[in-house]
Amino acid sequence: MDLVNRHVDYLQGTLNSSDLDPDPLVQFGHWLEAAFAANLIEPGGMTLSTVGPEGRPSSRVVLLRGYSPEGLVFYTNYNSRKGRELAQNPWACLGFWWPALERQIRVEGRVERVSPEQSDAYFASRPYESQLGSAASPQSEEIASRAVLEERMARLREQYPQGVPRPAHWGGFRLLPDRFEFWQGRKNRLHDRFVYTLEPDRSWRIARLAP
């Protein structure tokens, strides 16, 4: 496979300072809505990057399950690798990549757990089979075979035929942004990049970055 000579020019659009909302969360919402309107697969999919106690980074894709002035929310198993790393180092980066729109967004900030009540409400709203799967999986742990998961699912199905209560080790995280970057692909790799940085007075400073 020749990756060196493969070249794609980005021609979908431009991004100028006049296009940007002063509030990065509003700008984020505009771009997220555009991604959904384009009928992309999982436009809410985002790469979550965390750092372990030895300074070793790790990344995986999770789903955005809500955003507001309070922050961006996702859910997971608190005992998973990402859960353990966030407990030890509560800072993370979220990356959105929408190739069809030639756009990226990067969001950085501190992470905290959402309230147990919010986690309960979200877990109760999930499809029954998803509840079973989340409760059955010892996420990030080694298991002997897939049969282990299927057996745990079967036992939980017998125990909770109507709905599964949220496990104490499963719930939401909220990333509190202090930095947003919006990236629009451009011809000849001269991409448009703008960064919002949260100032001490809680205002946002906007600057253009070199591609």
Side-chain angles (χ1 to χ4, degrees), residues 8 15 27 42 57 66 88 93 100 135 143 156 176-177 190 203 205:
V8 176
L15 184 63
Q27 183 64 38
E42 295 289 16
Q88 296 166 337
C93 178
I143 55 174
L156 284 168
L176 312 172
L190 292 179
S203 66
R205 184 174 66 89

Side-chain angles (χ1 to χ4, degrees), residues 8-48:
V8 176
D9 242 343
Y10 298 130
L11 307 172
Q12 290 285 334
T14 63
L15 184 63
N16 299 296
S17 59
S18 59
D19 301 322
L20 298 171
D21 192 278
D23 186 333
L25 196 68
V26 174
Q27 183 64 38
F28 172 81
H30 292 331
W31 274 26
L32 184 63
E33 289 173 6
F36 274 96
N39 294 317
L40 306 183
I41 297 175
E42 295 289 16
M46 54 191 187
T47 300
L48 166 66

Side-chain angles (χ1 to χ4, degrees), residues 48 72-78 80 82-84 86-87 111-114 119 171-175:
L48 166 66
L72 285 70
V73 175
F74 59 93
Y75 292 86
T76 190
N77 186 316
Y78 291 140
S80 66
K82 56 185 168 299
R84 296 193 305 269
L86 288 172
V111 177
E112 64 182 18
R113 289 188 183 189
V114 306
S119 291
F173 282 109
R174 179 186 295 107
L175 184 139

Side-chain angles (χ1 to χ4, degrees), residues 168-198:
H169 60 263
W170 192 98
F173 282 109
R174 179 186 295 107
L175 184 139
L176 312 172
D178 59 18
R179 183 182 174 96
F180 282 83
E181 182 185 323
F182 294 85
W183 181 100
Q184 177 70 59
R186 293 291 302 273
K187 185 177 176 65
N188 298 323
R189 297 298 187 263
L190 292 179
H191 312 304
D192 290 325
R193 295 175 61 193
F194 285 91
V195 61
Y196 292 71
T197 306
L198 187 63

